[in-house]
Amino acid sequence: MSLPLPLREGIGGGGRATTPTPSPHPHPQGEGENWAAELRGLLLDCMRLWQVDATVTTVAEGVEIVATDGTFLVQRSPREMRPVRWLLQTPERRAADRPPRAVPSIVALLASLRNALGAEGGNKLRIGTPAP
């Protein structure tokens, strides 16, 4: 006699294991209704990780980061600028009366912001044998 295989959750047998159905309306990067709150949470984590003393708040224009180096503003880009997803205004660009920097992804945004804040990049993994 053969017994049915258990479900992935490890409960009983006889059922059918299924995968979750994808959302019928997935949001591209930065387009959900809570994008500013989610971005604020990510930036707060980054400030702790990068050891940068800053406050991160949501404002009408986007997400504002106030650090010792000045005030930074992250905004969603307008649809007509796609594939650009984000705009980063730094104190230097503001002082030079330049428009915000356009960045194509969240990874590029975080790298640009980390560099602008002067935060450490972290340790890099090196593979190989040490030099004699």
Side-chain angles (χ1 to χ4, degrees):
M1 176 174 151
S2 121
L3 296 173
L5 295 174
L7 296 174
R8 274 189 262 174
E9 292 80 24
I11 301 172
R16 184 184 280 176
T18 59
T19 57
T21 306
S23 170
H25 306 290
H27 294 291
Q29 186 183 96
E31 291 196 16
E33 61 187 55
N34 295 324
W35 72 269
E38 291 174 8
L39 180 61
R40 179 182 178 270
L42 175 63
L43 292 175
L44 282 169
D45 289 344
C46 288
M47 295 303 128
R48 276 186 236 120
L49 179 67
W50 299 337
Q51 298 176 353
V52 172
D53 185 27
T55 59
V56 181
T57 55
T58 56
V59 294
E61 300 84 23
V63 178
E64 188 176 71
I65 301 108
V66 180
T68 55
D69 294 341
T71 301
F72 300 79
L73 179 65
V74 177
Q75 299 172 292
R76 289 193 311 181
S77 68
R79 286 198 178 277
E80 60 269 9
M81 288 184 71
R82 299 297 158 90
V84 169
R85 294 282 181 189
W86 303 99
L87 300 173
L88 173 62
Q89 184 62 280
T90 62
E92 295 80 17
R93 293 183 81 82
R94 192 176 287 118
D97 201 25
R98 294 178 63 197
R101 178 177 177 191
V103 288
S105 69
I106 194 71
V107 173
L109 171 68
L110 294 176
S112 297
L113 185 58
R114 186 187 70 219
N115 291 335
L117 288 165
E120 291 294 321
N123 294 331
K124 295 189 181 193
L125 176 64
R126 293 181 187 232
I127 300 175
T129 57

